[in-house]
PDB file of all heavy atoms in Angstrom:
ATOM      1  N   THR A  40      91.977 121.830  72.193  1.00 96.00           N
ATOM      2  CA  THR A  40      91.022 122.833  71.727  1.00 96.00           C
ATOM      3  C   THR A  40      90.835 123.866  72.826  1.00 96.00           C
ATOM      4  O   THR A  40      90.376 123.535  73.928  1.00 96.00           O
ATOM      5  CB  THR A  40      89.659 122.207  71.375  1.00 96.00           C
ATOM      6  OG1 THR A  40      89.842 121.222  70.352  1.00 96.00           O
ATOM      7  CG2 THR A  40      88.675 123.263  70.901  1.00 96.00           C
ATOM      8  N   ASP A  76     104.275 112.576  73.318  1.00 94.00           N
ATOM      9  CA  ASP A  76     105.495 112.271  74.064  1.00 94.00           C
ATOM     10  C   ASP A  76     106.448 113.460  74.102  1.00 94.00           C
ATOM     11  O   ASP A  76     107.057 113.760  75.129  1.00 94.00           O
ATOM     12  CB  ASP A  76     106.195 111.052  73.451  1.00 94.00           C
ATOM     13  CG  ASP A  76     105.626 109.745  73.978  1.00 94.00           C
ATOM     14  OD1 ASP A  76     104.619 109.789  74.706  1.00 94.00           O
ATOM     15  OD2 ASP A  76     106.182 108.679  73.662  1.00 94.00           O
ATOM     16  N   PRO A  86     110.614 124.816  84.087  1.00 93.00           N
ATOM     17  CA  PRO A  86     110.415 125.117  85.513  1.00 93.00           C
ATOM     18  C   PRO A  86     108.929 125.270  85.821  1.00 93.00           C
ATOM     19  O   PRO A  86     108.105 125.483  84.928  1.00 93.00           O
ATOM     20  CB  PRO A  86     111.159 126.441  85.704  1.00 93.00           C
ATOM     21  CG  PRO A  86     111.175 127.072  84.340  1.00 93.00           C
ATOM     22  CD  PRO A  86     111.259 125.936  83.360  1.00 93.00           C
ATOM     23  N   ILE A  90     102.939 128.633  81.663  1.00 96.00           N
ATOM     24  CA  ILE A  90     103.530 128.329  80.355  1.00 96.00           C
ATOM     25  C   ILE A  90     102.617 128.883  79.268  1.00 96.00           C
ATOM     26  O   ILE A  90     101.394 128.792  79.365  1.00 96.00           O
ATOM     27  CB  ILE A  90     103.690 126.806  80.154  1.00 96.00           C
ATOM     28  CG1 ILE A  90     104.430 126.167  81.337  1.00 96.00           C
ATOM     29  CG2 ILE A  90     104.398 126.510  78.838  1.00 96.00           C
ATOM     30  CD1 ILE A  90     105.843 126.609  81.518  1.00 96.00           C
ATOM     31  N   LYS A 114     113.421 132.911  79.808  1.00 91.00           N
ATOM     32  CA  LYS A 114     113.786 133.034  78.397  1.00 91.00           C
ATOM     33  C   LYS A 114     114.122 131.659  77.811  1.00 91.00           C
ATOM     34  O   LYS A 114     115.266 131.340  77.497  1.00 91.00           O
ATOM     35  CB  LYS A 114     114.956 133.999  78.237  1.00 91.00           C
ATOM     36  CG  LYS A 114     114.585 135.441  78.565  1.00 91.00           C
ATOM     37  CD  LYS A 114     115.734 136.395  78.288  1.00 91.00           C
ATOM     38  CE  LYS A 114     115.323 137.830  78.561  1.00 91.00           C
ATOM     39  NZ  LYS A 114     116.420 138.801  78.281  1.00 91.00           N
ATOM     40  N   GLU A 125      91.769 118.145  61.876  1.00 88.00           N
ATOM     41  CA  GLU A 125      90.885 117.496  60.912  1.00 88.00           C
ATOM     42  C   GLU A 125      91.245 116.028  60.717  1.00 88.00           C
ATOM     43  O   GLU A 125      90.401 115.208  60.369  1.00 88.00           O
ATOM     44  CB  GLU A 125      90.941 118.214  59.558  1.00 88.00           C
ATOM     45  CG  GLU A 125      90.348 119.619  59.594  1.00 88.00           C
ATOM     46  CD  GLU A 125      90.488 120.323  58.257  1.00 88.00           C
ATOM     47  OE1 GLU A 125      91.022 119.685  57.307  1.00 88.00           O
ATOM     48  OE2 GLU A 125      90.081 121.488  58.155  1.00 88.00           O
ATOM     49  N   LYS A 173      75.132  91.918  85.154  1.00 96.00           N
ATOM     50  CA  LYS A 173      74.215  92.277  86.237  1.00 96.00           C
ATOM     51  C   LYS A 173      73.419  91.046  86.633  1.00 96.00           C
ATOM     52  O   LYS A 173      72.797  90.401  85.780  1.00 96.00           O
ATOM     53  CB  LYS A 173      73.268  93.392  85.784  1.00 96.00           C
ATOM     54  CG  LYS A 173      72.285  93.868  86.843  1.00 96.00           C
ATOM     55  CD  LYS A 173      71.413  94.988  86.278  1.00 96.00           C
ATOM     56  CE  LYS A 173      70.495  95.561  87.363  1.00 96.00           C
ATOM     57  NZ  LYS A 173      69.467  94.607  87.827  1.00 96.00           N
ATOM     58  N   PRO A 220      89.074 108.198  91.840  1.00 96.00           N
ATOM     59  CA  PRO A 220      89.261 108.520  93.258  1.00 96.00           C
ATOM     60  C   PRO A 220      88.783 107.384  94.156  1.00 96.00           C
ATOM     61  O   PRO A 220      87.991 106.535  93.736  1.00 96.00           O
ATOM     62  CB  PRO A 220      88.380 109.765  93.440  1.00 96.00           C
ATOM     63  CG  PRO A 220      87.306 109.611  92.411  1.00 96.00           C
ATOM     64  CD  PRO A 220      87.972 108.964  91.224  1.00 96.00           C
ATOM     65  N   ILE A 234      81.802 101.022  76.203  1.00 96.00           N
ATOM     66  CA  ILE A 234      81.585 101.288  77.620  1.00 96.00           C
ATOM     67  C   ILE A 234      82.217 102.637  77.933  1.00 96.00           C
ATOM     68  O   ILE A 234      83.291 102.975  77.411  1.00 96.00           O
ATOM     69  CB  ILE A 234      82.160 100.175  78.521  1.00 96.00           C
ATOM     70  CG1 ILE A 234      81.736 100.392  79.986  1.00 96.00           C
ATOM     71  CG2 ILE A 234      83.690 100.058  78.402  1.00 96.00           C
ATOM     72  CD1 ILE A 234      81.972  99.193  80.882  1.00 96.00           C
ATOM     73  N   GLY A 299      98.326  70.511 110.241  1.00 97.00           N
ATOM     74  CA  GLY A 299      99.123  71.473 111.001  1.00 97.00           C
ATOM     75  C   GLY A 299     100.245  72.139 110.239  1.00 97.00           C
ATOM     76  O   GLY A 299     100.794  73.140 110.694  1.00 97.00           O
ATOM     77  N   GLY A 311     118.974  74.636  91.720  1.00 87.00           N
ATOM     78  CA  GLY A 311     118.748  74.228  93.098  1.00 87.00           C
ATOM     79  C   GLY A 311     117.267  74.204  93.421  1.00 87.00           C
ATOM     80  O   GLY A 311     116.418  74.071  92.542  1.00 87.00           O
ATOM     81  N   THR A 359      89.767  76.328  95.098  1.00 98.00           N
ATOM     82  CA  THR A 359      89.237  77.658  95.382  1.00 98.00           C
ATOM     83  C   THR A 359      90.125  78.342  96.424  1.00 98.00           C
ATOM     84  O   THR A 359      90.375  77.781  97.493  1.00 98.00           O
ATOM     85  CB  THR A 359      87.797  77.590  95.913  1.00 98.00           C
ATOM     86  OG1 THR A 359      86.967  76.952  94.941  1.00 98.00           O
ATOM     87  CG2 THR A 359      87.254  78.990  96.185  1.00 98.00           C
TER      88      THR A 359
END
Side-chain angles (χ1 to χ4, degrees):
T40 301
D76 276 7
I90 308 296
K114 292 185 177 181
E125 293 177 2
K173 181 179 185 293
I234 188 166
T359 301

